[in-house]
Amino acid sequence: MKKAIILVAIMAIIIAGATFGQIRLGITAQDTYNGVMISAVHYGYPASGILRNGDIVRYAKVIYNSQPVMMSGNLMVMGMDQKVIVNLSAYPNGYGQYVTSSGQLQSIVFGAPYNSTVVLTVQRNGYMRTYAIALLNNGGFRTFMAH
């Protein structure tokens, strides 16, 4: 019996350690016919103050070893070598992989390591908006909007 309890405790520590470093957006979402609809945004997470209930996530992409910056009114994602990877302002209708389910979105976001950028294109009130969320090495984040 003691061995079983110890084994369960060790498994819980391993699982907690494996997921602790994975930043979450802080949303509750449900599948729709044209993307993933946000049903709740939780305070204190990267999506707080950015995404809203009713937003539909249409596209998502992780850009590794990068950081978003604003240059001349355009939202750019630059590599750690300071070279521009993509000008997100040039993609008004979405950038990344088309999102078809909340499971797919969760997989994309949970796969994002620190020092990377999560790019989300959402539909709000009929308009597309693109956001870039920088996942920082210290566990923090910064968020930028393209349109």
Side-chain angles (χ1 to χ4, degrees):
M1 182 68 168
K2 276 187 170 181
K3 288 181 182 181
I5 292 172
I6 292 172
L7 182 59
V8 169
I10 290 172
M11 291 297 289
I13 291 169
I14 291 171
I15 291 170
T19 60
F20 180 74
Q22 298 174 339
I23 193 160
R24 297 181 184 154
L25 291 179
I27 61 172
T28 303
Q30 61 189 33
D31 298 345
T32 67
Y33 66 92
N34 64 346
V36 175
M37 186 173 69
I38 306 300
S39 55
V41 181
H42 307 287
Y43 179 77
Y45 285 90
S48 177
I50 307 302
L51 298 180
R52 298 181 186 165
N53 294 356
D55 283 352
I56 299 174
V57 179
R58 302 289 298 274
Y59 297 92
K61 182 168 182 73
V62 175
I63 303 173
Y64 297 94
N65 297 314
S66 64
Q67 58 187 347
V69 294
M70 292 298 293
M71 294 175 60
S72 304
N74 292 315
L75 177 57
M76 311 278 197
V77 177
M78 299 181 77
M80 295 304 181
D81 59 359
Q82 300 301 311
K83 293 182 181 176
V84 174
I85 296 171
V86 64
N87 176 356
L88 293 174
S89 298
Y91 296 91
N93 293 321
Y95 179 77
Q97 182 178 0
Y98 186 74
V99 177
T100 58
S101 72
S102 55
Q104 177 192 14
L105 178 61
Q106 180 179 1
S107 177
I108 291 169
V109 172
F110 276 0
Y114 292 124
N115 292 326
S116 64
T117 303
V118 175
V119 178
L120 297 175
T121 301
V122 301
Q123 182 178 351
R124 178 183 297 161
N125 300 326
Y127 296 97
M128 300 295 269
R129 299 169 187 257
T130 300
Y131 299 98
I133 302 170
L135 304 179
L136 305 177
N137 194 30
N138 64 5
F141 58 89
R142 289 190 321 247
T143 305
F144 299 82
M145 183 178 130
H147 342 240

